Each structure stands twice: as C-alpha cells, then as structure tokens.
Amino acid sequence: MDNDNINKQSRLNEFIDNPQKALWKLALPMMFGMLIQAVYMLTDTAFIGKWVGADALAALGYVFPYMFIIMGITFGLGAGATSVISRYIGEEKKIQADKAAAQTILIGISISILIILITLIFKENIFTIQNADGKAADNALLYFKILSTGSIFMILSMFIRAILSGEGDNIFPMKVLGSGTVLNIILDPIFIYHYGIQGAAIATILSQLIVCLIFFYYLGVRKTSYLNITLSNFNFDIPIIKEILNIGIPSSLSMTIMAMGSFVLNLILNSPNAVAAVQTAGRIEHLFFLPIISISSSLVTLVGMFFGAKRFDLIQSIIKYGLKIGLLFSCISAFFFYTGAKHIIPLFTDSAEIIAISISYFSIVCFSYPFVTIGMTSSRIMQGLGHGKPTLILTLIRVVIINAPLGYFITRILELPIFYIWYSILFSSFVASTLGLLWMKKVINKEKKKIIVT
C-alpha cells in the first residue's frame, strides 16, 4: 500500500492496538524536527553573538517575549485544534474532523492579520517598556520589524502542523519543518554576514514562506492527508470554533503569561548582559524541552483519540508510560546541563559576565526539569480530555503568583544577587507540577464517571 492510501486512513485502530508504539510514532518525528529547530536557534545565537556582538544577543532577549507571545497564541490554539480533531476521529466523526481542520486555518489567518496589525502599530514603543536602550534597543527593533511582518507564514505553518498532528501524522510535518530549518541554517550566515541582525530575520522569513507553501500544496493540491479540507468547509462554523477556542484560548493565555513573565524577568535583571545571558541559556535549554514537548504534545493526540473512543484503560496506561519516559529524559538533561554548562556557554559568547550568569542559571534551574515535565505533561493530558482552563490557572500560579513576585522581592526588596532568582523558578515549578498532577487525576476521574453514567 502506498503512502497516499495510508494517509487516507484513520490511525485510530493502529493507535489502540499499540499505544506505546503510537506514542513514539508521534513523538519521535516531532522530536527530530524540533531538534533541527534547536540546532538552528543555537547556530543563530552563535553567529549573532560572535559576528554582531553582545548588544545583538541582548536584542534577541528583548525580542523573545514578543515572539513567545505570537508562538504561544499559535501553539495554544493549535493544541485546541489537535484535541478537537483527534476526539472527532476517535468518535469516528470524519465530516466534523474535516470541518474542524478548515476552521483551524480560518482561525490562523485571522490571528495572523491581527498580530501583524498590532505589531505594526506598537512596534516603536515595545522595547522601551523593558528598559532596553542604546544599541540593544536599536538592534531589537531592526530584527523585530522584519520578523513580525512575516510572522503569518510561521503562524499558518504551525496551525497546519496542529491539524496533521490531530489526525496522527507527525512524520510529514517533521520533514517539512526540518527542511525549512535546514534552509534557515544555510541562509543565516549569508544574510547575517551582509545585513547583520536584520539578515537573521530575513533568513527566517524566507524559510518559513517556503514551508508554508509546501504545506498548502500538500493539503490543497495533492490532498493526500486523511482529512479532506475543501472550500465548502471554509464557512465559519461557530460551534466548532467555540470548541477549539474553549481549549485553545486558555492555553494561549498561559503562553502569553509566560511571555509576560519574560518581560518581568528582563525588568528585574535590568542589565543587557544579564538579559543576554538568560536568552543564551534559554536557547541552549531548549534542548531539554525537545523530548518533553514532543511526548506531552503527542499525548494530546492519543488521549483525545482514546477519549473519543471511550477507552479510559488506554488513557491511564499511556499517561503512566508518558510520564515515566518524560521523567527519565528530564533527569538526564538536568545532569547534562549541571555538569556541561561551563563547557557549552563559551561557544556562544566571549563575554565573561554573560558566561558566568548563564552557568549560575543552569546550576539551579536544571533541578526544576522533573517538575516542569510533570506540570507540562499533566496540562497537555487535560487538553486532550477537552479541559483547557487548568493550563491557564497553573501558569498563573507559577508565573504571576509565585515566580514574578518572589523574583522581585529577592532582588529589589532583599537586594540579593540575581543568582537567587533561579531559586524562585525552581520553587514555582515544584508547586505548579504538584497541583497539575492532582488536578489531572481529578479530571480523569470526573470524565470516567460521566462515561459510566451515560
């Protein structure tokens, strides 16, 4: 049987027959694609840090919260789409799944237009509120002007990836996104050499444009996916949109809150070198999040399908397996960064201060990785079950109630060195993960009782 025919069939029965194999089948392609993306981020950071300078690294730190908001909104709404589509497939409602896919693209186009308008209106003032000044602020504005204008390609690509993930196909998106990232890596040094930090943004936009065109060709011209997206499905379907938004909006808001937490952290750090250090550490740290995000995101699809099929026995078994694998990865990552940070950071900058701050960050924050794993996995599982609000509330607790106030108290009231801020990150992750695990168990029991009653 050829690939096109395989894609035209639902993967539900295949996933039910072997859930653990299904988890790896979904997670590994996503993990590999994200690994290529992480390599790009590190390459981008190294080129900018070495060729353009410390001010450019700080500029990336000031831009990151805004891009994180854009990506967070997209990723959050995409998670809502994945959950809805996978549950429709689990319930064997193919027509509804097709409609949900089309509505997802409509949402993506609407969000893209809105984001571009907002960034064009407010771009002149968005960096001054982070106390950015001098060359760092100038570089940030140059970089962000280009990147935000072309963000529509990134947004639509992420939404299409969410659609394909909902039907259980992570292999093709991995190939496309991976190819786009490789292209970005090739273009990066060429454009950075000629145009500085603006060149990095141009290279990103060009590669994202090509990725977006490939996705639309795959869905609209070749029509080889299981889901059939036709023009007749592009009429706004309010009930389906509400269903996607009910799960996606809380997740998007939680991502936005995390981005606001980055704003606050930049304000608390109040130093371009400190911002550059955290930015550099964060990009390196993304290596840890690769398997965790891949596994937890794959659980959204599997839990959604099993929930639609009313197979709570499979839901519980795959949750235990996913958590076990995630915790194993997190412990390995913690050991790697704790022992290896002093050798890794100097590859990205020559600044002794940036190196020292980054190493101190990893010496404490790496111990939060198991808690981050539990919290992230619990939130994704609840999204798969159709519950989006827990993700938002847990993020509010972690970032707004604990992390930001505690970080401010440590540095501004107690006037302790920024080294102590890392402890607030560790503590907030512990609290959020504990609450997330307990909440997840409550949601599962609640949904199981509903099935028994009906």
Side-chain angles (χ1 to χ4, degrees):
M1 185 178 294
D2 61 28
N3 290 334
D4 286 0
N5 288 331
I6 292 173
N7 287 341
K8 286 293 185 180
Q9 297 177 1
S10 169
R11 293 172 170 81
L12 175 61
N13 292 331
E14 175 191 346
F15 290 172
I16 287 177
D17 289 340
N18 196 331
Q20 293 185 10
K21 181 181 178 181
L23 179 64
W24 287 110
K25 189 171 183 178
L26 290 169
L28 284 176
M30 186 183 299
M31 200 181 305
F32 183 75
M34 293 177 67
L35 176 61
I36 298 175
Q37 176 66 20
V39 171
Y40 155 69
M41 291 176 66
L42 294 177
T43 304
D44 187 54
T45 301
F47 278 128
I48 290 174
K50 293 286 188 178
W51 290 6
V52 187
D55 287 323
L57 274 183
L60 292 181
Y62 291 122
V63 170
F64 175 76
Y66 296 103
M67 293 309 300
F68 193 86
I69 290 174
I70 294 173
M71 294 178 65
I73 291 171
T74 307
F75 190 81
L77 292 175
T82 298
S83 176
V84 170
I85 290 170
S86 64
R87 281 188 284 119
Y88 278 144
I89 292 175
E91 295 169 356
E92 299 185 357
K93 296 180 178 179
K94 172 68 164 54
I95 294 176
Q96 291 298 95
D98 291 341
K99 289 182 179 179
Q103 300 307 301
T104 301
I105 294 177
L106 284 176
I107 293 172
I109 293 172
S110 302
I111 293 296
S112 299
I113 294 171
L114 181 62
I115 287 174
I116 290 173
L117 288 175
I118 291 174
T119 53
L120 286 175
I121 293 170
F122 295 104
K123 65 186 177 186
E124 300 297 336
N125 303 312
I126 55 180
F127 299 111
T128 56
I129 63 173
Q130 295 184 73
N131 291 335
D133 55 18
K135 290 184 178 180
D138 293 338
N139 280 324
L141 187 57
L142 290 172
Y143 183 76
F144 190 63
K145 277 182 178 180
I146 298 171
L147 207 60
S148 61
T149 303
S151 62
I152 184 171
F153 307 123
M154 176 193 73
I155 292 168
L156 290 177
S157 296
M158 291 178 68
F159 271 107
I160 294 173
R161 186 210 64 80
I163 291 169
L164 294 174
S165 181
E167 71 170 54
D169 180 11
N170 279 345
I171 295 178
F172 180 74
M174 176 272 293
K175 292 178 180 178
V176 177
L177 293 171
S179 299
T181 304
V182 171
L183 176 61
N184 203 342
I185 292 172
I186 295 171
L187 295 177
D188 229 15
I190 299 172
F191 281 93
I192 290 174
Y193 179 80
H194 289 287
Y195 302 105
I197 195 169
Q198 289 174 289
I202 294 170
T204 299
I205 294 305
L206 287 175
S207 60
Q208 289 293 336
L209 169 61
I210 292 172
V211 165
C212 193
L213 291 174
I214 293 173
F215 272 136
F216 274 109
Y217 175 77
Y218 179 78
L219 290 177
V221 180
R222 288 192 61 190
K223 298 183 182 295
T224 50
S225 65
Y226 169 68
L227 295 171
N228 185 25
I229 303 176
T230 61
L231 289 175
S232 61
N233 288 332
F234 277 94
N235 295 320
F236 282 99
D237 190 314
I238 302 303
I240 291 179
I241 290 177
K242 282 184 177 180
E243 195 172 357
I244 294 172
L245 296 182
N246 282 339
I247 302 171
I249 286 179
S251 181
S252 295
L253 289 174
S254 72
M255 295 283 189
T256 303
I257 290 168
M258 284 190 279
M260 296 306 295
S262 297
F263 278 122
V264 174
L265 181 59
N266 286 348
L267 287 171
I268 292 173
L269 294 173
N270 198 29
S271 162
N273 277 348
V275 172
V278 174
Q279 159 68 22
T280 304
R283 289 198 167 201
I284 297 170
E285 188 180 46
H286 187 65
L287 289 171
F288 152 66
F289 288 104
L290 292 178
I292 307 306
I293 293 173
S294 300
I295 291 170
S296 61
S297 297
S298 299
L299 284 172
V300 175
T301 300
L302 290 176
V303 170
M305 284 190 180
F306 296 158
F307 181 51
K310 301 181 181 180
R311 292 295 303 271
F312 276 90
D313 56 325
L314 298 181
I315 290 175
Q316 291 178 319
S317 66
I318 200 62
I319 287 174
K320 290 179 182 178
Y321 183 73
L323 276 171
K324 181 174 68 175
I325 297 300
L327 286 171
L328 175 62
F329 273 118
S330 68
C331 291
I332 293 172
S333 299
F335 177 78
F336 173 78
F337 286 120
Y338 184 80
T339 58
K342 60 185 177 182
H343 304 294
I344 299 171
I345 303 298
L347 299 174
F348 299 91
T349 179
D350 296 322
S351 169
E353 184 180 2
I354 292 175
I355 292 171
I357 296 172
S358 298
I359 292 173
S360 75
Y361 174 91
F362 279 118
S363 69
I364 300 300
V365 174
C366 70
F367 290 102
S368 71
Y369 293 170
F371 305 124
V372 171
T373 299
I374 294 172
M376 185 183 298
T377 304
S378 299
S379 295
R380 295 289 182 266
I381 289 166
M382 287 186 278
Q383 286 176 348
L385 294 169
H387 292 256
K389 290 181 181 178
T391 301
L392 173 59
I393 295 173
L394 290 170
T395 304
L396 278 170
I397 292 171
R398 180 173 63 83
V399 177
V400 177
I401 296 178
I402 300 177
N403 196 19
L406 187 57
Y408 181 85
F409 179 76
I410 287 171
T411 56
R412 299 300 173 87
I413 306 301
L414 298 182
E415 297 183 346
L416 294 173
I418 62 172
F419 176 86
Y420 289 92
I421 296 176
W422 318 145
Y423 288 102
S424 69
I425 296 175
L426 175 59
F427 177 68
S428 62
S429 298
F430 167 73
V431 174
S433 68
T434 303
L435 293 175
L437 189 62
L438 294 174
W439 202 337
M440 178 192 71
K441 290 181 178 179
K442 183 178 179 181
V443 167
I444 291 173
N445 291 331
K446 179 181 178 181
E447 294 298 338
K448 189 187 296 185
K449 288 179 181 178
K450 286 182 181 178
I451 296 297
I452 294 173
V453 170
T454 56

